[in-house]
Amino acid sequence: MRRNAFAALAVLAAAPAFASGIDITVAGEANGVISVNLFEDVAPGHVERITTLAENGAYDGVVFHRVIEGFMAQTGDVQFGQIDGYDARRAGTGGSDLGNLPAEFSEVDFDRGVVGMARSSDPDSANSQFFIMFAPGPFLNGDYTVVGEVTSGMDVVDAIKRGNPRSGAITGAPDVMTKVSVTD
């Protein structure tokens, strides 16, 4: 019995340690920090991807490229969403070089403040982009991966510059994630 307990403890010690969240520092029309609790138990692969990109600085300088009033604010295009050289026509079409992730759908509802992974029509196409809900979006439940929820800074989320009412495309200078830090 002691040997099995020791073996189990060794396996746990060797497993990657997940962070419990991220802090997103935003500048533009919105200014401040958004703290997000990540749901490692709900979407471990997606949480690992977000924390890896954050630790590598890939999200630093990435804009909120699609923001729809009453719906959500989308960001995380580490390929085409950088504020330096920003091209609104390409933002939202890219991802990281780490490849797409298989869906991790759950029973967690898309309520106000919930963070989900953006994807194409292919359920297994999430990569680096994510969105934060301004309001409940029950039509997303079970069809998009939930990765976490905002624990503080919803006032910052609410202040993010809105885009076109239908497409969410931003006119002029978009708000930007100046720094995304992994938290314990």
Side-chain angles (χ1 to χ4, degrees):
M1 182 69 160
R2 292 186 109 207
R3 182 176 294 196
N4 288 343
F6 179 73
L9 184 59
V11 168
L12 287 175
F18 286 114
S20 62
I22 55 173
D23 281 345
I24 305 167
T25 303
V26 180
E29 287 190 14
N31 288 287
V33 176
I34 303 165
S35 295
V36 176
N37 178 36
L38 296 173
F39 298 158
E40 299 92 348
D41 57 333
V42 172
H46 290 75
V47 167
E48 181 178 9
R49 173 65 52 85
I50 287 173
T51 57
T52 297
L53 292 171
E55 287 172 340
N56 292 338
Y59 286 130
D60 299 350
V62 174
V63 304
F64 284 88
H65 65 271
R66 182 172 178 242
V67 184
I68 301 174
E69 177 68 41
F71 180 30
M72 59 86 216
Q74 186 171 326
T75 185
D77 183 345
V78 300
Q79 184 176 10
F80 298 122
Q82 294 289 331
I83 191 67
D84 294 336
Y86 177 64
D87 181 350
R89 294 168 297 175
R90 296 194 76 191
T93 64
S96 75
D97 59 0
L98 299 177
N100 293 339
L101 295 163
E104 293 178 300
F105 299 151
S106 68
E107 299 294 317
V108 179
D109 290 340
F110 276 90
D111 291 327
R112 174 174 163 75
V114 165
V115 179
M117 291 298 285
R119 62 172 178 82
S120 70
S121 59
D122 177 356
D124 298 327
S125 63
N127 185 295
S128 65
Q129 296 184 44
F130 61 91
F131 56 90
I132 304 170
M133 301 297 293
F134 289 126
F139 52 92
L140 300 174
N141 293 347
D143 288 327
Y144 284 78
T145 298
V146 171
V147 294
E149 68 180 338
V150 173
T151 56
S152 68
M154 272 309 290
D155 57 323
V156 179
V157 174
D158 289 337
I160 294 171
K161 182 178 182 176
R162 300 311 198 266
N164 177 288
R166 298 192 83 197
S167 69
I170 305 297
T171 302
D175 286 4
V176 61
M177 298 188 296
T178 59
K179 180 72 179 161
V180 178
S181 304
V182 176
T183 61
D184 291 330

